[in-house]
Every structure is written in C-alpha cells, then in structure tokens.
Amino acid sequence: MARTKAVLQPDLILISWTRNPLRPGSARRIIAARVIGSAQPCRFTLVPNGLLINALNCLLDHDIGFKIVFQKKTSSFSGYLVLQRNR
C-alpha cells in the first residue's frame, strides 16, 4: 500500500501599514497583521502601532526566511504587503 505524506504549507503574513499624513517622512507603522502558519521568532514585532521597519528587519533576515511576495500602496500614506516562508 502506498503511503501519502502531508505537504507542508508555507507560512504567510499580511501586514497593513500607515504613516502620519501630517508629517512628511514619518515612519510606517503597523495597523494590523494576520499570520497564517507561524511567524516565529518574529511574532513579537507584529503588533499594532509597531514600526514596520522593525518587523521587516526581523522577518527578512536570511536565517528566518521570509520574502515579500506582494506589496501595494493603497494611498500616499498607507498600504499592505504579503510575506511568505516555505518550510
């Protein structure tokens, strides 16, 4: 009898961000983040009002393995991005 193996699904993270429209050049901040799978060891950076750059520095680290697969600016001061990590 043939054995079947479960296929490991990738980890996905959707981050929605905004910046202060009244302050040009202000830092991008996380509005909301949704994780499908695992975001470890960077889960602590995905908090509302946290800095997006801190989360990206952790997630995009070579050892962690996430890559940006889609990003879109919805206005001049907000947007979202999707990151994926294959296990």
Side-chain angles (χ1 to χ4, degrees), residues 8-9 22 36 59 62 65 75:
L8 292 177
Q9 298 296 315
L22 301 176
I36 300 171
L59 294 165
H62 179 71
S75 70

Side-chain angles (χ1 to χ4, degrees), residues 13-73:
I13 300 175
L14 171 65
I15 301 174
S16 177
W17 60 268
T18 190
R19 67 174 71 209
N20 186 344
L22 301 176
R23 292 184 48 211
S26 62
R28 295 181 292 174
R29 296 201 170 264
I30 297 171
I31 298 172
R34 181 74 165 150
V35 177
I36 300 171
S38 173
Q40 293 300 339
C42 301
R43 181 74 179 161
F44 70 97
T45 64
L46 300 171
V47 294
N49 208 32
L51 292 174
L52 179 63
I53 191 69
N54 291 345
L56 291 179
N57 284 340
C58 183
L59 294 165
L60 297 176
D61 184 270
H62 179 71
D63 294 333
I64 307 304
F66 278 95
K67 292 185 174 135
I68 297 174
V69 293
F70 185 79
Q71 59 184 337
K72 175 136 177 103
K73 285 183 81 171

